[in-house]
Every structure is written in C-alpha cells, then in structure tokens.
Amino acid sequence: MTDITGVLHSRHSARIPFDPARPITPHDLEMILDAARWAPTPHNMQNFEIIAVDDPDVLEAVGEVSTTVSAEFLRENYAQVSSSEEELARRRVGIMGTGFPRAWLDPASWDLSSRDPEYTRKLRDSLLGCPMLLVVLYDAGRRAPASEGDALGLIGLGCVLENMWLGAEALGIGLQVLASLAGGDAEPTLAKLLSIPEHMRVAFGCRLGYPLVTHSAGLRVRRDVGAFTHRNAYGHTDLSDWSTTP
Ligand SMILES: Cc1cc2nc3c(=O)[nH]c(=O)nc-3n(C[C@H](O)[C@H](O)[C@H](O)COP(=O)(O)O)c2cc1C
C-alpha cells in the first residue's frame, strides 16, 4: 500500500498556473490515457470518450466560451464554502471561498437579472494557460443496466477521473477538474467547437499541465475515518476494538 498511499494523499486540485510553453509529453499523455482505459466502469461498458485538446488555436477558442453561473449554483456553492481556515478546520468538509468572486459569496447581492459581469465568465479564466485540456464525454443514450439516472454510469466516469488524476499526480502533472464545461450555456458552444455529436454529453473537463509554481495547498480537510464508518449497522461508529471479532 505504501506507494499508492503516497499518491492518494498527494493528489490534489491544481488550481495554479501551468507552463503554457511546456506541452504534455506524448509519453505522459499516454500514461494518463492508459490510466483512464483501465478504470472500472459498470458492466465494463467503458461509456466514455476523451477529447484531448492541445492545439493552441482550439484552446484559445475554448477560452472564449462563456459560462453564466446559475442561481442554483450560487446557492448550493455558498453552502459548501468557508470564509476562513478556522471555519473550514471546524467543518472538516467543503472548500475555502477565496477562489470565488466576492459577489458569489454575498447572498444579499445576488441579482442574476442584472447581467452583472461577475456572473458571466470566460473559460479562459479557468484555463490559466494550460497546454492541454481533456474533455470527457459520455453517451447519454446508454446507461448501466437498470441504473436510475445512470447513477452507476456516472460513478464509472468518476473512476475514469480518479484514475487519470492519480496517474497525473504520479507523473508530477497538475490536474484541475473543470465542471463548468458540462451543462449550462458552455456545453452547447463547446459541442459546436469540438464537433461533439448530439448524443454525447460533456461529463467534465480536466486542465493538465506542468506546474509553474509550487503547489501551496492551503488547509486541506477530511473527516476522520470514524466520522463516516459504521460498524455492522448505521450509527455504530465506535471502531476502537476494530481488530476484535464481534
Ligand atoms: C466531480 C468533481 C467535480 C469538481 N469540479 C471542480 C471544479 O469545477 N473546479 C475546481 O477547481 N475543482 C473541482 N473539483 C475538485 C474538488 O473541489 C476537490 O477535489 C475537493 O475540494 C478536494 O480537494 P483536493 O482535490 O485538493 O483534495 C471537482 C471534483 C470532482 C470529483
């Protein structure tokens, strides 16, 4: 477990600039895509396609795509953010609000009808000079057998993401998930730009690159194992005698 544990703990969201002049090497890209290839998916359906965008002109065009934040996002995002490291340390879940525009964190000021530019952003703001963007797609017309809302298929896409993320981490490549590529007003524009067929949906994007600066993680929080593990029945969270056969 030692090797994998190190990568599991060091994997992180690389919300930092990458070196735009340093393309992902063919070897490294192949390793990351091979990690995706071996991801577990329900019924081994492998319901995913990946567009690897590295053409600077296409990246430029993707950067021009606008996304408008929804009221739903503002509300649900607000519930997950902490305004200080002390608050985050106490909550043990969620993220710091520091990366978001000030207006997104002030419910009193939310007014999407105003078409305030604060609520519309170009993808360029998220790409931050990355030399490669992976756009992960899935065929919305297929689903894992009897899986309501294709929840199992979506879990499979999560496995694809995690495999690529761990692979990138092991290679010293930064990865940041870009959920804003999926749904909203970005997806149809992106679909045209990348010739995505109508039956395919965007699951998420990943910006990849060699970090220009050392990652400064800030405070990273997780719940303790005992806070989410229930022994034999829900609510039995005392794991102190775990090694003892009940
Ligand atoms: C499905 C999914 C969507 C995510 N979307 C975004 C995103 O749009 N932008 C972003 O910066 N991070 C995104 N993240 C990263 C999470 O915020 C991050 O994994 C979490 O805060 C834990 O931090 P860590 O990755 O540094 O351990 C996403 C992660 C997952 C699994």
Side-chain angles (χ1 to χ4, degrees), residues 11-13 15 95 161 165 176-180 220 222:
R11 182 218 53 79
H12 60 273
S13 294
R15 299 186 187 99
I95 55 177
L161 168 60
W165 211 337
Q176 181 188 4
V177 183
L178 298 180
S180 54
R220 299 186 76 212
R222 292 297 192 268

Side-chain angles (χ1 to χ4, degrees), residues 65-146:
V65 176
S66 295
T67 60
T68 308
V69 73
S70 65
E72 191 180 33
F73 178 87
L74 285 177
R75 213 174 36 248
E76 294 177 4
N77 178 63
Y78 183 69
Q80 300 305 329
V81 298
S82 289
S83 54
S84 66
E85 290 209 337
E86 290 72 33
E87 183 187 346
L88 185 60
R90 201 172 51 249
R91 291 173 71 174
R92 307 289 291 270
V93 298
I95 55 177
M96 283 296 294
T98 33
F100 297 103
R102 204 179 268 262
W104 295 19
L105 304 175
D106 176 14
S109 76
W110 292 345
D111 178 12
L112 284 111
S113 59
S114 73
R115 288 282 143 229
D116 189 323
E118 281 284 25
Y119 301 119
T120 302
R121 326 206 90 203
K122 297 240 174 189
L123 285 181
R124 171 171 299 108
D125 300 338
S126 307
L127 294 180
L128 289 174
C130 74
M132 174 157 295
L133 175 70
L134 301 181
V135 182
V136 178
L137 313 171
Y138 65 103
D139 182 343
R142 299 168 67 204
R143 71 165 191 173

Side-chain angles (χ1 to χ4, degrees), residues 22 31 34 41 96 101-102 108 132 149 157 169 173 182 202 222 230 234 238:
R22 201 174 154 203
M31 298 284 283
D34 191 59
T41 55
M96 283 296 294
R102 204 179 268 262
M132 174 157 295
L157 290 168
E169 180 65 37
I173 291 174
V202 175
R222 292 297 192 268
H230 307 251
Y234 193 92
D238 180 5

Side-chain angles (χ1 to χ4, degrees), residues 162-192:
E162 183 69 348
N163 267 25
M164 293 198 295
W165 211 337
L166 294 173
E169 180 65 37
L171 293 163
I173 291 174
L175 185 152
Q176 181 188 4
V177 183
L178 298 180
S180 54
L181 270 55
D185 44 4
E187 189 170 335
T189 320
L190 211 57
K192 264 193 212 132

